[in-house]
Amino acid sequence: MAIRHDHWIDGRHTPPEGRAWLPTLDPATGKPGDEIAAGSPADVARAVVAAENARHAWAHRSPAERAAVLHRIADAVEADAETLMELERACTGKVLAQLRLEVETSAAYFRYYAGVVRAAGQGQVIEQGAGVHTYTRYEPYGVVGVITPWNLPLNQACRALAPALAMGNAVVIKPSEFTSVSTLRLAGLAAEAGLPAGVLNVITGTGPEAGEALAAHPGIRRLAFTGSVATGRYLAGVAGGRLLPLTLELGGKSPLVVFADADLDGAVAAAVTALTANSGQVCSATTRLLVEESVHDEVVDRVVTAVAGLRPGVDFGPLITEAQYRKVLDLLADAPVPPATGGGPYEEGSAARGLYVRPTVFARVDPDAPVAREEVFGPVLVTVPFEDEDGALELANDTEYGLVAAVWSGDLARGLRLAERIEAGQVAVNGGPLTVETPFGGYKRSGYGREKGLAALHEYAQLKTVSATLR
Ligand code: NAD
């Protein structure tokens, strides 16, 4: 029996004004899932009013008081992990290890920002000599709008919510219409954990109906968007017209550079992870494998062997939406070379009933081919050989995107040299970890603004200077 989910406005489940709900789908089985409220501009307006009414009292609490609530939200997410994982699985088909990682990281965002807001949420005194007292303070924007995509639903919601709430903002969030239920559940958990009514509101629905209304609402004072370049470009236009501060976390086509002197076991494992983690539906997936010519074929053989043993539904999940599934299959059909492995859907077995795509490797691809330049957002890796360090750098930067990069080399100085010259928001050398603590965001078409780390705390605040003459 499909469950019908309402919006979450002012601390309670609230049916949509238009009395319309949208279907969802389990992409692992093709069966219908729960229904979500079809949000409209009227629903958005109600949520913004609730947030506006709640924001001052929340902002006036001390950082320590807000932090205590955030810690309790983290506790609640951890305690509710099994349910959250099941809700997420039902609309994404994600495999167990991926679900666990995402829910753990979701709690970690609240834990982290509960800590840092107490240490770094305050301004400083600026010495200007006797008779003057000058200081800065971070103040919240007020009502922040957050729009999230379908690939890491709960995780990306928490990535924006935790710093925004920590700094004393109230939020209206619109999750993807394909994956809204975990965000609704989070709002309920947050209320039970002591977050006052109206501080966090969830409006579900489509981008054109609910998302556009949220971005256009005059009560929204800052917007954080994670999603496609096309929607990001549209929202940048809206934000430009309103002079609305905006964070854009968009796509990527990130390079994984492997030199012949690298730890090849580690580099091959990283390439397999790029291909299979969330079935490649990760904006930071390093799915352009650039390999020094002398070890190129060996690395490709090892990746192909590792991928051949992976089981759909166990080691990797389906694509999350039907549209994305069709888009990936079309790109595979148009590839300029035959695949070294994979290359299409499953024709038989249980995987044939879901939106599963075989992990696919295209070796020695022309760097100008669409499959080597466009973000596939599926389990598809392309490889391109290079001759030397300059050639590697040229290929790594030969993209309109700049989200992340990975470099593998036994020569750490060379790894760091490249890290500094690659145009991307974050570069991992020899598997260096990128975590809740590390700022995350794009160069070039991958967007602007930063999520995660200390940087994101200050993205959700405006800096005020107060200067007083003491006489
Ligand atoms: P999308 O842009 O289609 O949708 C993202 C969100 O925006 C959804 O909630 C959607 O309903 C909403 N939306 C769509 N049109 C809108 C409009 N006109 N106005 C307001 N809101 C609108 O993206 P998607 O297909 O859900 O997600 C996949 C994309 O997200 C990929 O390109 C991927 O790279 C990117 N992504 C980026 C990051 C990052 O942190 N950089 C993380 C995950 C995904």
Side-chain angles (χ1 to χ4, degrees), residues 147-151 156 159 174-177 205-208 211-212 225-229 231 234-235 249-252 283 375 377 403 440 446:
I147 300 177
T148 50
W150 44 257
N151 58 328
Q156 279 152 349
R159 188 180 73 183
K174 195 212 80 65
S176 164
E177 56 272 40
T206 66
E212 290 191 15
F225 172 74
T226 303
S228 64
V229 172
T231 308
Y234 165 79
L235 290 174
E249 295 288 3
L250 308 178
C283 50
E375 182 185 46
F377 229 54
L403 196 51
F440 181 80
S446 292

